[in-house]
Amino acid sequence: MGDRGMRIGYSHWGFLGDGVTDTPDGGRSHRKTLVDGLVATGHDIVFLQADRDTTEARTPVVGPYVWDEGLPEVDALFLEWRWPVRGRNDTPCQAAGHTCDLHRQQQLVDHYVHRLGVPALLWDKDQRLAPADPIRAASHVTVCEPALYPRHGARSLLFPVADQVLDMADPKALADGDRRLPLVYVGNQYGRDAAFDAFFAPAAHSLEHEVAGKWTDTGRWPHVRFTGRISFQEGLALHHQSHATVLLAPDRYVTSGQFTQRVFEAVLSGCAPVIPAHYRGAATVVPGELHACGGAHVADITHGVAGMAVGGKTRLLDRCLRRLDVFRLSRQINTINAVLDQFGRVDDGS
């Protein structure tokens, strides 16, 4: 890339700010961080999907951002990959409840990738891109996954945490203060039933707890307290009020070492992230004393964390903070710029 920043067309279906409560969008924890990091590197960003912060949340986000629902000239395309969601984005545009994220993405792919051959970085944040999808084979497309061990030739691009947030985090301050709940989970049900059955539900028999998020099929866990969806800020506050959480994930995340934003949301709130011991890359991201072999072990670990003196809790959180370094924004920006640099050399004919 050299010293030349690029004009990047960025496609995402979510929010830069807190957004609205009744929507799944884990990107709220890190999307603006990533975009601001790209801008600080010298790139110009034009958002290519709808400005949902303005139209839905009624809270425009101020910054060096431009939204364009046309087909503006760009040097590179960055796609937060969308996939078909039955009854929502796979319906006709005028149908009730329709969202046009998927149709818009196809328009962008057709125009920029297929017609113009614009270099594209495709961030498959939920591992939904089919292994045999022909877009993977395009020489001007790089697929990334937010996993330590990405699949199918993809590159690793993790969810970012701002460097200054990590550098300024004080484990002693995070360890101080009263917490009302031993155990909490903030997040939606999607694909997590088996992990919930094995690790959270058994521990919930003996611990005060709360599960916040969209969980629609809960009949098998009558003893668990589900409180429904809460706002992004309320989710952060719930971590601040809790001693521990469990990192629950679908199998495809576990086997590829994909960690969601919940790990750093928890640690930066002083909430210990307990992780299933078989989770690939667990030792990279979470200290060994928080690795659990099952639900009873989750309960034991949580009791131990809740009973820790401030000194012990401070040392534990310090170890947790150090392991967040892998998510550091500067590392993720380096990955993106390495991809853009490769594109630039191709564009220059060198």
Side-chain angles (χ1 to χ4, degrees), residues 26-277:
R28 281 173 284 198
S29 70
H30 57 262
R31 182 176 294 116
K32 188 174 185 298
T33 296
L34 184 67
V35 169
D36 288 347
L38 289 170
V39 171
T41 307
H43 302 296
D44 294 323
I45 302 295
V46 53
F47 292 119
L48 299 175
Q49 295 265 7
D51 178 5
R52 297 178 68 200
D53 291 279
T54 297
T55 60
E56 294 182 40
R58 309 295 182 188
T59 53
V61 175
V62 178
Y65 317 123
V66 174
W67 281 263
D68 192 325
E69 294 187 63
L71 296 169
E73 183 176 343
V74 299
D75 298 313
L77 182 66
F78 190 112
L79 298 173
E80 291 188 17
W81 190 250
R82 304 299 302 162
W83 60 92
V85 180
R86 181 175 295 181
R88 192 166 76 194
N89 62 11
D90 65 346
T91 55
C93 292
Q94 303 306 317
H98 175 79
T99 62
C100 222
D101 53 303
L102 191 62
H103 291 168
R104 173 60 169 168
Q105 178 175 270
Q106 190 59 54
Q107 181 187 34
L108 298 175
V109 169
D110 288 343
H111 179 73
Y112 291 111
V113 176
H114 298 320
R115 187 172 302 120
L116 298 183
V118 169
L121 190 156
L122 191 162
W123 200 14
D124 191 10
K125 298 173 71 174
D126 199 41
Q127 300 187 15
R128 297 287 185 172
L129 183 67
D133 194 302
I135 199 170
R136 290 184 182 271
S139 62
H140 58 295
V141 172
T142 297
V143 178
C144 295
E145 292 180 351
L148 295 175
Y149 307 95
R151 313 158 309 147
H152 313 305
R155 294 186 63 159
S156 178
L157 178 62
L158 305 182
F159 300 135
V161 184
D163 289 40
Q164 60 268 34
V165 170
L166 293 179
D167 294 341
M168 295 177 63
D170 181 351
K172 171 64 164 58
L174 292 173
D176 277 335
D178 295 328
R179 294 176 183 263
R180 68 179 180 87
L181 285 170
L183 188 64
V184 71
Y185 183 75
V186 179
N188 298 323
Q189 187 168 9
Y190 313 134
R192 290 171 170 82
D193 285 23
F196 192 85
D197 245 344
F199 290 92
F200 194 97
H205 279 292
S206 61
L207 294 167
E208 288 188 63
H209 64 274
E210 187 171 323
V211 176
K214 185 177 181 180
W215 289 72
T216 56
D217 183 11
T218 60
R220 62 207 272 191
W221 307 299
H223 66 291
V224 175
R225 183 172 180 245
F226 295 95
T227 58
R229 270 186 168 158
I230 58 178
S231 71
F232 176 64
Q233 291 299 327
E234 288 171 331
L236 297 180
L238 192 54
H239 282 124
H240 273 286
Q241 297 164 17
S242 306
H243 287 284
T245 187
V246 185
L247 301 180
L248 305 175
D251 286 344
R252 65 186 183 279
Y253 290 7
V254 172
T255 57
S256 64
Q258 175 165 327
F259 294 83
T260 74
Q261 69 281 359
R262 299 304 177 199
V263 61
F264 51 79
E265 287 177 358
V267 173
L268 292 168
S269 301
C271 179
V274 181
I275 187 169

Side-chain angles (χ1 to χ4, degrees), residues 319-336:
R319 291 191 291 276
C320 291
L321 286 166
R322 291 176 186 275
R323 280 167 171 78
L324 294 184
D325 190 72
V326 68
F327 300 101
R328 188 173 286 267
L329 173 64
S330 56
R331 291 177 176 268
Q332 316 319 317
I333 294 297
N334 285 343
T335 295
I336 294 172

Side-chain angles (χ1 to χ4, degrees), residues 272-275 277 282-283 286-293 297-298 300-302 304-305 308 312-320 323:
V274 181
I275 187 169
V286 176
E289 58 264 53
L290 297 177
H291 295 192
C293 297
H297 198 187
V298 170
D300 290 343
I301 292 171
T302 302
V305 171
M308 279 183 178
K313 185 75 172 292
T314 298
R315 290 187 291 274
L316 174 63
L317 291 174
D318 182 64
R319 291 191 291 276
C320 291
R323 280 167 171 78

